[in-house]
Amino acid sequence: MKEKYLKQCNILYVEDDQVFAKYILEILKKEVKDVIHSPNGENLTNLIMINEIDIVILDIKLANISGIDLCKEINNLSREISIVLLSAYPKKEYLKDAIELGVDYFIEKPILNENELLSPLSNLASKIRIKRMEKRLEVLENTEKRLSAMDKMISNLAHQWRQPLNIISIIASALRYEKESRTISDETLTEIEKLDNIVLQTQELSKTLNSFNYFSELEKNKSEKIDLCFFIKENIKKLDKVLIDKDIEISLECNVNQEVLISKNMLSYIFEVLINNSIDNFEKETIIVEQRYIFIDVTQEENLISISFVDNGGGVENKDLENIFDPYFSTKFNSYGIGLSLYTLYLVVKYGLNGNIDAYNKTFNRVDTYNCGLCYDITIPS
């Protein structure tokens, strides 16, 4: 097993004796991931950084510098790099310095068989593996603590904001109704527009809280077997009234003939975000089409579900595409959107469902019409 870990290591070998170096390199090349040879230790730092070196093997006496001095240079760079010293001289002469510098092994020349070199290297590779696992575990534990703290903060934030937002929205709606019931003057119209803006902003803030709350609940969403096509149709039906009011027609083609294992809540969230995003896009004054369409194609190949979602709303500017899944990025007019829905969608697909999502502008012919719109391609393991 230790030999397996050695094959995952990169080694830098510093040796000026070309004949001996050739012998050692032949041994190492068969057993390690990669080995770099330096005859004199020049540019040591660059060699270690560029090649992501795990272990450095040094001859204790080189023509232009001592191995002990190179050890000091390595320690100044990183204490995590393992060091093996080679020497044809009695090791007690250098033992004190080697111990102080944290040298891992001291091997005397000549090396008569491969095991004299590979055995200590395999032990080092095993220790390196353990250190990496410990560091990874520490990172995961710290991440878990931060996420737990963030989850509590988001829950508290949502709880504290929800009631005031509802009150603001109710007051603004009531004032708007009162204004409309009077004679409409230019001044009254201006006031109504301001009240509409208040309601709109409170709705956006409420959506933000929903996005945060939803993401904090990801781990609680369990997968279950569902009839995918039926489930998608039912989710679209829930939005029928909105779609009719906005004069939007959805064309669904679903070619999945077996039940799939997936989180229903996450799948619902995906379609909710994509459809609402298309609705918002169609509402832009610059978008004028004879009939508003959303086309959804769902297919399955082996253990992979593919979802293509595209509307004929004209797409977005190419400069915006590379940022479309960034947090707080929005293309909505006057920044009414705060850009969290697509960011949360990305997190749900990528980390909640272990899938991938891509967005791009697409031109296509459907319903005997030339169309152009923003297309989302989503792939999800099933």
Side-chain angles (χ1 to χ4, degrees):
M1 184 61 73
K2 291 180 180 179
E3 289 74 12
K4 174 185 174 183
Y5 297 146
L6 188 55
K7 292 185 181 296
Q8 299 171 4
C9 288
N10 294 326
I11 290 180
L12 172 62
Y13 175 39
V14 184
E15 171 68 70
D16 55 5
D17 183 332
Q18 295 301 315
V19 175
F20 186 72
K22 183 179 179 182
Y23 167 66
I24 296 297
L25 287 169
E26 286 177 356
I27 297 173
L28 293 175
K29 285 177 180 177
K30 294 185 294 183
E31 301 296 334
V32 305
K33 180 181 177 182
D34 194 17
V35 57
I36 309 295
H37 175 231
S38 171
N40 50 28
E42 289 183 2
N43 298 317
L44 186 74
T45 299
N46 287 338
L47 286 173
I48 289 173
M49 298 299 291
I50 292 171
N51 297 286
E52 298 181 353
I53 298 299
D54 303 298
I55 302 172
V56 178
I57 303 174
L58 295 167
D59 192 301
I60 198 101
K61 282 197 171 182
L62 299 165
N64 61 337
I65 191 171
S66 79
I68 294 295
D69 289 338
L70 288 179
C71 285
K72 293 176 182 177
E73 185 178 337
I74 294 168
N75 280 338
N76 287 334
L77 180 65
S78 172
R79 281 280 182 182
E80 295 184 1
I81 297 172
S82 298
I83 303 173
V84 176
L85 283 179
L86 304 179
S87 176
Y89 303 93
K91 66 180 180 181
K92 62 181 181 181
E93 182 181 345
Y94 304 100
L95 195 57
K96 183 175 179 294
D97 288 337
I99 291 172
E100 289 179 353
L101 291 168
V103 172
D104 295 272
Y105 280 97
F106 198 109
I107 302 175
E108 290 188 23
K109 295 180 179 179
I111 297 173
L112 301 177
N113 63 74
E114 294 184 3
N115 194 53
E116 289 181 20
L117 177 65
L118 295 179
S119 180
L121 290 180
S122 295
N123 288 333
L124 277 180
S126 180
K127 291 177 182 178
I128 290 169
R129 170 76 174 180
I130 291 171
K131 284 182 181 178
R132 286 178 177 168
M133 294 300 292
E134 288 174 346
K135 181 178 283 188
R136 197 170 298 169
L137 182 61
E138 183 181 351
V139 170
L140 288 173
E141 287 175 348
N142 289 334
T143 302
E144 186 177 354
K145 288 177 183 177
R146 288 198 298 270
L147 288 175
S148 178
M150 187 181 296
D151 184 48
K152 290 179 182 177
M153 181 190 72
I154 290 169
S155 296
N156 290 332
L157 179 67
H159 178 73
Q160 294 293 330
W161 280 23
R162 189 75 64 193
Q163 188 65 19
L165 283 175
N166 286 339
I167 293 171
I168 292 169
S169 182
I170 290 169
I171 292 173
S173 297
L175 288 172
R176 186 186 191 283
Y177 176 77
E178 185 181 334
K179 292 288 183 184
E180 283 183 327
S181 63
R182 300 176 183 175
T183 304
I184 302 296
S185 64
D186 290 341
E187 182 180 348
T188 301
L189 283 173
T190 301
E191 290 175 355
I192 289 175
E193 287 176 1
K194 289 178 181 178
L195 293 171
D196 284 343
N197 194 22
I198 290 172
V199 174
L200 178 62
Q201 295 299 334
T202 56
Q203 288 173 349
E204 288 295 337
L205 285 170
S206 184
K207 287 180 184 177
T208 305
L209 294 177
N210 288 337
S211 294
F212 277 130
N213 270 339
Y214 185 85
F215 186 63
S216 70
E217 293 289 319
L218 274 183
E219 292 185 357
K220 301 173 187 176
N221 287 291
K222 302 298 181 182
S223 297
E224 54 186 290
K225 282 196 170 184
I226 61 169
D227 181 330
L228 186 63
C229 297
F230 177 78
F231 183 78
I232 294 172
K233 289 174 184 176
E234 290 300 302
N235 271 266
I236 293 172
K237 276 184 182 179
K238 294 176 185 177
L239 295 169
D240 268 355
K241 185 179 184 306
V242 177
L243 293 169
I244 292 170
D245 288 344
K246 302 295 183 180
D247 194 25
I248 299 171
E249 184 177 331
I250 291 186
S251 170
L252 171 65
E253 290 189 12
C254 185
N255 297 303
V256 179
N257 300 318
Q258 63 188 61
E259 289 189 331
V260 298
L261 186 66
I262 200 167
S263 165
K264 291 168 66 174
N265 288 341
M266 292 186 195
L267 193 61
S268 294
Y269 184 78
I270 288 172
F271 285 102
E272 178 186 338
V273 170
L274 292 178
I275 291 172
N276 283 329
N277 227 54
S278 286
I279 291 172
D280 290 340
N281 188 50
F282 281 126
E283 292 301 292
K284 292 179 182 178
E285 294 180 1
T286 54
I287 305 300
I288 302 174
V289 290
E290 290 185 11
Q291 173 61 51
R292 298 172 171 183
Y293 283 108
I294 294 173
F295 300 99
I296 304 172
D297 297 320
V298 186
T299 57
Q300 182 178 26
E301 187 173 343
E302 295 182 351
N303 295 321
L304 204 65
I305 299 294
S306 297
I307 300 171
S308 172
F309 183 103
V310 62
D311 60 35
N312 65 336
V316 300
E317 293 185 33
N318 288 328
K319 66 180 178 65
D320 294 330
L321 281 172
E322 61 185 55
N323 306 112
I324 201 163
F325 296 117
D326 290 352
Y328 303 109
F329 177 79
S330 177
T331 61
K332 292 183 183 179
F333 180 67
N334 281 342
S335 297
Y336 282 159
I338 43 77
L340 276 172
S341 60
L342 286 179
Y343 174 61
T344 311
L345 171 68
Y346 175 84
L347 296 177
V348 168
V349 173
K350 189 76 174 177
Y351 301 108
L353 296 172
N354 298 314
N356 288 295
I357 182 169
D358 190 24
Y360 55 93
N361 288 320
K362 180 179 181 179
T363 54
F364 57 99
N365 284 310
R366 292 283 285 264
V367 292
D368 299 323
T369 307
Y370 173 82
N371 299 277
C372 176
L374 182 59
C375 181
Y376 297 90
D377 280 344
I378 298 171
T379 54
I380 303 167
S382 62

